[in-house]
């Protein structure tokens, strides 16, 4: 079978090459192999993309897509159909997007399957959820000591809203679950912890978890309103997406509940700006918010093959540092130059006087950030520069994650 051996994992291609495409079991065996390989290498997502050349198989590893294999176009419909069968989707509907789940198996967590019709056929993405035994505790996240201490202090509060912000894939959900685990462990069953998620990605012991079901009328807003009548003390809302959910979250936070949630925003001050755009009044932001933690994940340099560069090296990419290390690639890191990821984060505390004044004055995001920095907040760029200076990541990785903006001179 003509599989592209030069484009991806040698082991996966070798195993696929051993399958008979004429066999009635080919799709079943191939899909099982694709899923097991993705899990074994720690991929967060499996992408099955129809192209003019064939069915392109890629893994998202440490936040970056990696080519793995190329299957012939003629097997594409059967591969997609098998994934849809596992996820209990309609195999005969190829003209509309569908979403489903592959149920958990012994030793394996659930996966989410999403299909989408394209010009060359259906595209499928499989998201692998973390197994309960692989959930991290707060002190395992890799946060700087000062950030960890401040976050733990915020979790001791009995009311208020803690927001975890960042783009998709920045570690928000992992951190949210770590916070819930910490609260469940510290309360020893004496506090009622509930969550409303879309979707539930992992079971957390000691937390009553519920999943939204829009077709049945259970939305984030309506579910949160109902949860307030369930006598909770801690509420986790999977994500604030709209003004009505934001309003309900603040109502809960101001009526004696500790509320944890996530929000898509580029920075901690940007999260406050987004909430203001959703119609949350400044006095509510000032009174209700306890902390905003903005997160990013950067790949950690391979300790075997990275090399050193100096300030005048083009690979420094304008970062104001005397030296740094950059990725090369070896067998230990599968040629990527990186192994695993580390968080960089900034923590904004709205209760600090300068920040509170800026919020109450309806200041823009830049002024709120300046107030937070003057009150001691260490910005994402500072944390990233510290990670580069310590040899944990590279200038190229920081630019990939934070973009091409230039850090301020005082960074």
């Amino acid at each position: 079978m003509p599989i592209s051996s030069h484009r991806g994992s040698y082991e996966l291609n070798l195993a696929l090459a051993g399958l008979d495409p004429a066999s009635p079991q080919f799709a079943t065996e191939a899909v099982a192999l694709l899923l097991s390989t993705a899990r074994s290498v720690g991929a967060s997502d499996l992408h099955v993309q129809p192209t003019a050349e064939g069915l392109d198989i890629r893994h998202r590893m440490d936040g970056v897509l990696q080519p793995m294999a190329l299957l012939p176009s003629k097997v594409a419909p059967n591969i997609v159909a098998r994934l849809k069968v596992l996820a209990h989707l309609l195999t005969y509907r190829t003209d509309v997007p569908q979403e489903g789940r592959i149920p958990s198996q012994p030793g394996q967590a659930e996966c989410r399957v999403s299909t989408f019709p394209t010009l060359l056929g259906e595209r499928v993405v499989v998201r692998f959820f973390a197994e309960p035994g692989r959930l991290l505790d707060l002190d395992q996240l890799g946060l700087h000591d000062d950030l960890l201490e401040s976050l733990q202090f915020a979790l001791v509060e009995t009311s208020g809203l803690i927001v975890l912000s960042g783009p998709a894939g920045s570690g928000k959900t992992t951190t949210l679950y770590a916070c819930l685990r910490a609260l469940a462990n510290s309360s020893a069953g004496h506090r009622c912890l509930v969550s409303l998620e879309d979707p539930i990605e992992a079971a957390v012991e000691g937390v009553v978890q519920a999943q939204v079901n829009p077709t049945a009328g259970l939305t984030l807003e309506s579910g949160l309103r109902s949860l307030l009548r369930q006598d909770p003390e801690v509420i986790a809302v999977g994500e604030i997406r709209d003004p009505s959910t934001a309003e309900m979250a603040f109502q809960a936070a101001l009526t004696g509940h500790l509320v944890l949630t996530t929000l898509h925003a580029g920075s901690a001050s940007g999260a406050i700006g987004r909430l203001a755009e959703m119609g949350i009044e400044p006095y509510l932001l000032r009174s209700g918010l306890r902390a905003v933690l903005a997160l990013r994940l950067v790949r950690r340099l391979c300790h075997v093959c990275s090399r050193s560069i100096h300030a005048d090296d083009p690979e420094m990419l304008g970062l104001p540092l005397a030296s740094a290390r950059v990725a090369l690639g070896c067998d230990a890191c599968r040629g990527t130059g990186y192994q695993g990821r580390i968080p960089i984060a900034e923590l904004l505390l709205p209760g600090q006087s300068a920040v509170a004044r800026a919020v109450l004055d309806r200041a823009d995001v830049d002024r709120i950030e300046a107030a937070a920095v003057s009150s001691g907040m260490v910005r994402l760029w500072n944390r990233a520069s510290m990670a580069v200076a310590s040899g944990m990541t590279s200038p190229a990785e920081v630019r990939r994650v934070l973009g091409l903006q230039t850090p301020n001179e005082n960074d």
Side-chain angles (χ1 to χ4, degrees), residues 295-378:
L295 293 156
R296 292 290 194 284
L297 291 174
V298 296
R299 290 181 293 172
R300 184 197 299 270
L301 279 167
C302 174
H303 67 280
V304 176
C305 64
S306 65
R307 68 177 180 87
S308 180
I309 61 171
H310 298 287
D312 58 351
D313 194 300
E315 289 190 71
M316 189 63 78
L317 299 178
L319 292 187
L321 299 172
S323 64
R325 300 194 69 83
V326 295
L328 286 178
C330 65
D331 291 341
C333 58
R334 296 177 177 267
T336 65
Y338 301 91
Q339 288 183 306
R341 289 189 288 179
I342 57 173
I344 55 175
E346 63 182 16
L347 182 69
L348 188 151
L349 301 174
Q352 294 172 326
S353 58
V355 179
R357 285 195 300 272
V359 170
L360 291 174
D361 290 343
R362 300 180 183 269
D364 59 23
V365 169
D366 290 340
R367 287 175 57 199
I368 292 174
E369 180 168 294
V373 171
S374 71
S375 299
M377 184 184 80
V378 181

Side-chain angles (χ1 to χ4, degrees), residues 76-402:
N78 291 338
I79 295 292
V80 172
R82 176 57 183 169
L83 285 167
K84 292 167 77 171
V85 167
L86 291 174
H88 305 289
L89 301 178
L90 301 176
T91 57
Y92 61 87
R93 292 304 304 267
T94 61
D95 56 340
V96 295
Q98 297 188 63
E99 289 189 15
R101 287 192 173 203
I102 299 177
S104 60
Q105 301 293 330
Q108 296 179 351
E110 276 190 323
C111 338
R112 184 176 65 207
V113 177
S114 170
T115 70
F116 196 88
T118 73
L119 176 65
L120 298 174
E122 285 186 280
R123 183 176 190 269
V124 183
V125 175
V126 180
R127 163 62 60 90
F128 299 98
F129 294 147
E131 298 172 18
R134 294 175 57 190
L135 292 178
L136 299 178
D137 291 325
L138 276 177
D139 58 1
Q140 296 174 321
L141 294 176
L143 294 172
H144 278 260
D145 290 342
D146 60 320
L147 292 175
L148 178 60
E149 183 179 354
S150 296
L151 180 58
Q152 290 173 327
F153 185 79
L155 291 173
V156 175
E157 296 283 355
T158 56
S159 65
L161 181 66
I162 298 175
V163 175
L164 308 174
S165 72
S170 59
K172 300 187 299 297
T173 301
T174 299
T175 306
L176 179 66
Y177 281 157
C179 291
L180 287 175
R181 283 166 59 87
L183 288 166
N185 291 336
S186 64
S187 67
H190 297 296
R191 299 176 74 186
C192 178
L193 283 70
V194 300
S195 75
L196 184 61
E197 306 172 54
D198 182 21
I200 296 173
E201 296 193 12
V204 182
E205 187 175 353
V207 181
V208 178
Q209 295 174 267
Q211 182 168 300
V212 301
N213 184 0
T215 58
L218 180 58
T219 63
L220 285 170
E221 178 193 3
S222 64
L224 183 53
R225 182 179 291 108
S226 296
L227 279 179
L228 290 176
R229 294 189 284 270
Q230 288 283 305
D231 191 29
E233 289 157 285
V234 178
I235 303 173
V237 182
E239 182 183 349
I240 289 180
R241 299 174 179 168
D242 52 64
S244 55
T245 304
E247 183 179 347
M248 284 301 303
F250 272 89
Q251 179 181 330
L254 291 169
T255 53
H257 306 86
L258 181 63
V259 181
L260 287 73
T261 190
T262 71
L263 180 71
H264 285 275
S267 64
S269 56
I272 294 181
R274 278 213 63 199
L275 291 169
E277 290 171 359
M278 290 182 181
I280 304 300
E281 293 294 329
Y283 71 92
L284 293 177
L285 291 171
R286 165 64 182 87
S287 303
L289 273 178
R290 286 288 175 266
V292 182
L293 182 70
L295 293 156
R296 292 290 194 284
L297 291 174
V298 296
R299 290 181 293 172
R300 184 197 299 270
L301 279 167
C302 174
H303 67 280
V304 176
C305 64
S306 65
R307 68 177 180 87
S308 180
I309 61 171
H310 298 287
D312 58 351
D313 194 300
E315 289 190 71
M316 189 63 78
L317 299 178
L319 292 187
L321 299 172
S323 64
R325 300 194 69 83
V326 295
L328 286 178
C330 65
D331 291 341
C333 58
R334 296 177 177 267
T336 65
Y338 301 91
Q339 288 183 306
R341 289 189 288 179
I342 57 173
I344 55 175
E346 63 182 16
L347 182 69
L348 188 151
L349 301 174
Q352 294 172 326
S353 58
V355 179
R357 285 195 300 272
V359 170
L360 291 174
D361 290 343
R362 300 180 183 269
D364 59 23
V365 169
D366 290 340
R367 287 175 57 199
I368 292 174
E369 180 168 294
V373 171
S374 71
S375 299
M377 184 184 80
V378 181
R379 297 176 63 238
L380 284 171
W381 267 110
N382 296 75
R383 301 286 185 184
S385 295
M386 291 159 58
V388 173
S390 65
M392 298 182 72
T393 193
S394 69
E397 179 65 4
V398 168
R399 289 298 189 183
R400 182 187 72 84
V401 173
L402 294 183

